[in-house]
Amino acid sequence: MTRSDPEFTLFIPTYNRAKLLPRALASIEAQTCRDFEVVIVDDGSTDDTAAVVAAWRTRVDFPVVYVRQPNRGKYAAHNVGVERARGRFFVLLDSDDRLLPDTLERIRRHWHSIPEGERWRFAGVEGLVESMDGKRLLTEPYPQSPLDISYLDLFYRLGVGGDKKHAIRTEILRRFPYPIFPGETNIRDSITWNRIAHHYIFRCVNEPFQQVEYQPDGLTSNRFRVRMGSPRGFQQFHLEEITLHRPWLSRRQLRRSTIAFIRFSLHLRVGFWQQARLTGYDPLWLMLLPAGLLRWLVDCYRLRFQDAAPPNRVPIRN
């Protein structure tokens, strides 16, 4: 990045959110820190999203990049946004959320509070989310603030989960893109944060950075369909949990993740011998096979009798 590049890239992935998008765009215009660009990736919208963005671009005084792509999902859009970003820090703003007016200013202040000689260890700054009326937090706060910690330690050892919002160094995100599987559009956000956590930590603060409103047709509200529609991505996530991240998992977490790995492997028609090889012939995997098989059967029942939307399945053979 050159000296003329902005401090922040504000990234908006969007799909058929033309009516809600102006709220997010207005919150960008209201930022007290003006050292940013905006990258919008339109994931195949069929509404007036393009027109909304075009009209907005004509009246703002900062760079706006608009990319339109066929519908490939939020995470493919995220990878495209990172590729196009020029900012030092990458800030995700969902198209139905909004930033608080001083969010970027506070993120920059927290980053500069880290001693310069130690910043190489940090992926970025992370904060909380609150309701649109600003009256309540929608996520679990950190046990102290500031807290310098990796995602693996935060989630698996301290048990602090929930939606968080962060500014991440763009150069790090380029090294850790989301894995994309043909025919699938979703994966767990934390697959990338877990990978980053082996190398970097975050400065976490108990301050809201964004106001969010979860939509009825969003990813959060359609978890079963999301998971059944992207079994390979979820299988990969749980495989990494029980292999790469195993030292961080409690016994209970390890059991749950192993069962989930078996469950999604069966949806992919991955045979038992292949599962055994992938897990390193783990005795726990063998012991939990009946539980994983039962969980898969429950899914099959729900898909046949309770859920009309069939999943996208990508068969993997032994």
Side-chain angles (χ1 to χ4, degrees):
M1 296 181 184
T2 67
R3 293 181 62 184
S4 61
D5 289 332
E7 183 83 352
F8 297 99
T9 293
L10 301 179
F11 166 64
I12 300 179
T14 188
Y15 174 71
N16 287 345
R17 288 285 191 266
K19 292 183 178 180
L20 291 173
L21 191 56
R23 181 169 65 188
L25 301 180
S27 76
I28 292 174
E29 287 188 74
Q31 288 303 296
T32 55
C33 169
R34 309 301 291 178
D35 192 5
F36 63 82
E37 65 168 359
V38 179
V39 174
I40 301 172
V41 177
D42 183 347
D43 192 40
S45 295
T46 57
D47 62 4
D48 294 330
T49 293
V52 170
V53 175
W56 185 64
R57 290 175 70 178
T58 62
R59 61 182 179 80
V60 296
D61 59 354
F62 43 79
V64 178
V65 176
Y66 175 72
V67 180
R68 182 175 173 82
Q69 66 176 25
N71 184 253
R72 298 169 56 208
K74 175 181 176 179
Y75 303 102
H78 188 279
N79 289 348
V80 171
V82 171
E83 291 172 4
R84 298 294 296 268
R86 296 185 303 113
R88 182 183 184 188
F89 292 98
F90 192 84
V91 179
L92 167 65
L93 175 62
D94 286 326
S95 55
D96 47 1
D97 298 341
R98 64 185 176 196
L99 296 169
L100 294 170
D102 61 345
T103 289
L104 298 185
E105 184 178 336
R106 287 186 288 118
I107 288 173
R108 183 162 60 181
R109 183 174 71 247
H110 287 301
W111 175 257
H112 286 287
S113 71
I114 303 169
E116 188 172 358
E118 297 180 15
R119 290 177 195 163
W120 64 270
R121 300 190 301 120
F122 288 80
V125 176
E126 183 174 89
L128 309 177
V129 301
E130 66 180 15
S131 58
M132 280 292 172
D133 58 12
K135 294 182 179 180
R136 57 193 176 95
L137 290 176
L138 299 180
T139 188
E140 185 177 358
Y142 307 105
Q144 66 184 62
S145 181
L147 176 66
D148 297 338
I149 194 170
S150 75
Y151 184 87
L152 287 167
D153 286 328
L154 180 69
F155 182 75
Y156 293 103
R157 292 184 174 164
L158 296 187
V160 177
D163 196 7
K164 304 290 193 297
K165 298 299 179 182
H166 31 239
I168 303 179
R169 288 160 53 194
T170 306
E171 61 181 306
I172 293 176
L173 287 177
R174 290 201 175 105
R175 291 171 49 200
F176 296 94
Y178 281 105
I180 304 299
F181 299 103
E184 298 191 2
T185 58
N186 289 293
I187 200 168
R188 289 280 291 270
D189 286 353
S190 49
I191 194 169
T192 291
W193 316 139
N194 285 345
R195 292 174 177 182
I196 291 173
H198 285 270
H199 308 275
Y200 300 98
I201 60 178
F202 278 90
R203 170 145 293 186
C204 302
V205 295
N206 280 331
E207 299 177 17
F209 288 164
Q210 289 188 31
Q211 294 180 330
V212 305
E213 182 178 55
Y214 299 115
Q215 301 301 316
D217 60 344
L219 296 181
T220 303
S221 62
N222 294 283
R223 289 180 180 176
F224 180 71
R225 289 190 180 187
V226 164
R227 292 170 181 176
M228 293 298 100
S230 298
R232 193 171 181 184
F234 283 86
Q235 183 221 32
Q236 181 65 33
F237 171 80
H238 291 292
L239 176 62
E240 292 186 11
E241 276 196 315
I242 63 179
T243 55
L244 299 179
H245 317 313
R246 192 184 187 101
W248 281 268
L249 273 65
S250 67
R251 291 182 180 180
R252 181 182 179 186
Q253 290 167 333
L254 188 57
R255 288 194 299 268
R256 292 178 62 181
S257 294
T258 302
I259 291 171
F261 166 75
I262 297 167
R263 166 197 184 189
F264 289 109
S265 294
L266 291 173
H267 281 297
L268 291 164
R269 303 178 187 175
V270 175
F272 294 137
W273 284 114
Q274 177 68 359
Q275 291 184 41
R277 287 193 293 269
L278 289 171
T279 61
Y281 303 95
D282 182 10
L284 182 63
W285 164 82
L286 181 61
M287 183 179 72
L288 293 174
L289 267 179
L293 179 60
L294 177 61
R295 190 68 183 88
W296 171 70
L297 288 172
V298 171
D299 290 341
C300 292
Y301 175 84
R302 290 185 64 182
L303 288 169
R304 182 170 182 178
F305 297 107
Q306 298 179 3
D307 198 306
N312 299 318
R313 292 178 183 166
V314 184
I316 302 175
R317 303 295 183 181
N318 284 347

